[in-house]
């Protein structure tokens, strides 16, 4: 085997390793996204359904008054269920 054939084999090997690395990075990104989703679910599970509703509306930028209208609840109820804006 001459040097040019060895060089081509080396390049093929490097390309194969690079391809494997690209695949592994894609897999790790997928795992990272799954972990993020699970973390969010675990975080939200510590709240009641009503608290989760207020939390999601808060994240979407709704004001307290808008939440009152959307959820048909009193201001004091919204405040007691809002674990972000009214946290101590």
């Amino acid at each position: 085997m001459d040097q040019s054939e060895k060089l081509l084999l080396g390049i093929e090997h490097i390309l194969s390793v690079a391809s494997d690395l690209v695949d592994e990075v894609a897999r790790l990104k997928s795992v990272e996204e799954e972990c993020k989703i699970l973390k969010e679910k675990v975080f939200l599970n510590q709240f009641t359904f009503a608290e989760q509703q207020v939390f999601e509306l808060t994240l979407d930028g709704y004001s307290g008054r808008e939440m009152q209208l959307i959820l048909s609840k009193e201001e004091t109820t919204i405040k007691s269920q809002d674990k972000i804006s009214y946290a101590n």
Side-chain angles (χ1 to χ4, degrees):
M1 178 181 306
D2 67 4
Q3 257 188 313
S4 60
E5 289 175 325
K6 288 180 183 178
L7 183 58
L8 285 174
L9 285 175
I11 291 171
E12 287 176 357
H13 177 71
I14 289 170
L15 291 174
S16 173
V17 169
S19 175
D20 291 345
L21 288 174
V22 168
D23 292 344
E24 184 64 11
V25 168
R27 187 188 72 77
L28 289 173
K29 284 183 179 181
S30 174
V31 168
E32 180 181 34
E33 185 60 31
E34 288 175 26
C35 288
K36 181 180 174 186
I37 291 167
L38 287 173
K39 185 178 177 182
E40 289 170 0
K41 286 181 180 179
V42 168
F43 174 74
L44 287 177
N45 281 339
Q46 67 183 319
F47 301 118
T48 66
F49 178 72
E51 291 169 339
Q52 289 177 27
Q53 287 180 307
V54 172
F55 178 75
E56 289 173 7
L57 290 172
T58 301
L59 290 179
D60 288 340
Y62 288 96
S63 69
R65 180 68 182 134
E66 291 169 322
M67 286 188 259
Q68 288 176 306
L69 295 171
I70 292 168
L71 299 173
S72 301
K73 294 182 179 183
E74 295 294 323
E75 180 182 10
T76 54
T77 303
I78 297 292
K79 284 183 178 180
S80 71
Q81 294 172 341
D82 189 344
K83 301 301 184 188
I84 301 299
S85 299
Y86 300 99
N88 291 332

